[in-house]
Amino acid sequence: DARVTQTPRDKVTEMGQEVTMRCQPILGHNTVFWYRQTMMQGLELLAYFRNRAPLDDSGMPKDRFSAEMPDATLATLKIQPSEPRDSAVYFCASARQEDTEAFFGQGTRLTVV
Amino acid sequence: AQSVAQPEDQVNVAEGNPLTVKCTYSVSGNPYLFWYVQYPNRGLQFLLKYITGDNLVKGSYGFEAEFNKSQTSFHLKKPSALVSDSALYFCAVRTSEDDYKLSFGAGTTVTVRA
């Protein structure tokens, strides 16, 4: 049963620390999305990749966030330094191609104290 | 740029009654439209999609949606709601104009009372 896998599921960290979230997309999917979900802002698109190339990361605070795909089986989202306002649930999703649905991971719940 | 609107923050229905969750979109080209459902503390689950062909599409758990190009709408429907349908529902769109990024509406909370 193919699925998107995100680690860790939960992360509590202190302000100023680096946070790395990982995502394993479904094998064969060419597009990976990163979203952030909060009560106030809903689902925000942070970045997305096609064939490992970044297409749009305009939704990310550039000074502290970075997203990469070191290979086709791994996508990472890093926050350095983390701030309390970064507390949210971060979702990764992958899609097979341009006209298909995306499948979501279970999310990483980040709490920055 | 593409966008999706879900005009209702909340929808409340009685079990057994029809359920409708509204969605309108704004795009330049042909839209690929999707509905997702999110249960508490879970990721989003895909329900159904419209790519091309029949305007009425059927999906998981008895849900269906009708694509209406003239009204730029893609409303989600279920003839007889269940208490277990209570969740957060998202409409989403992809188009070539925005390089196929997946844009979501704000979400609609559905509560089905017994």
Side-chain angles (χ1 to χ4, degrees), chain B residues 59-79:
Chain B
S60 306
Y61 312 120
F63 283 94
E64 60 187 30
E66 185 166 11
F67 172 66
N68 188 319
K69 189 171 184 177
S70 63
Q71 296 186 3
T72 62
S73 67
F74 188 56
H75 301 330
L76 181 70
K77 299 181 181 182
K78 186 170 184 179

Side-chain angles (χ1 to χ4, degrees), chain A residues 35 37 50 99-102, chain B residues 36 38 49 94 99 102:
Chain A
Y35 291 90
Q37 186 177 32
R50 182 175 303 128
D99 62 351
T100 62
E101 64 274 23
Chain B
Y36 287 82
Q38 185 180 30
K49 66 182 176 184
R94 300 179 81 179
D99 210 3
L102 185 60

Side-chain angles (χ1 to χ4, degrees), chain A residues 9 31 33 35 37 43 45 48 50 55-56 91 95 97-106 109, chain B residues 32 34 36 38 41-46 49 51 88 90 94 98-106:
Chain A
R9 289 294 307 276
T31 306
F33 303 92
Y35 291 90
Q37 186 177 32
L43 269 172
L45 178 64
Y48 74 113
R50 182 175 303 128
L55 292 183
D56 185 352
F91 287 106
Q97 58 189 46
E98 288 75 11
D99 62 351
T100 62
E101 64 274 23
F103 293 89
F104 279 73
Q106 292 299 298
R109 181 177 300 275
Chain B
Y32 302 140
F34 308 87
Y36 287 82
Q38 185 180 30
N41 300 314
R42 302 293 297 276
L44 278 70
Q45 296 178 30
F46 168 73
K49 66 182 176 184
I51 304 299
L88 181 57
F90 290 97
R94 300 179 81 179
D98 257 339
D99 210 3
Y100 300 105
K101 74 178 178 183
L102 185 60
S103 299
F104 283 88

Side-chain angles (χ1 to χ4, degrees), chain B residues 7 10-11 17 19-20 24 26 30 32 39 49-51 56-57 64-67 70 80 89 97-98 100 105 110 113:
Chain B
Q10 289 198 342
V11 169
N17 282 1
L19 170 63
T20 298
T24 60
S26 175
N30 294 320
Y32 302 140
Y39 298 100
K49 66 182 176 184
Y50 172 82
I51 304 299
L56 183 65
V57 293
E64 60 187 30
E66 185 166 11
F67 172 66
S70 63
S80 178
Y89 291 80
E97 71 169 301
D98 257 339
Y100 300 105
V110 170
R113 59 186 184 276

Side-chain angles (χ1 to χ4, degrees), chain A residues 41-59:
Chain A
Q41 300 296 327
L43 269 172
E44 302 173 271
L45 178 64
L46 297 175
Y48 74 113
F49 297 79
R50 182 175 303 128
N51 298 320
R52 296 176 55 203
L55 292 183
D56 185 352
D57 60 1
S58 59

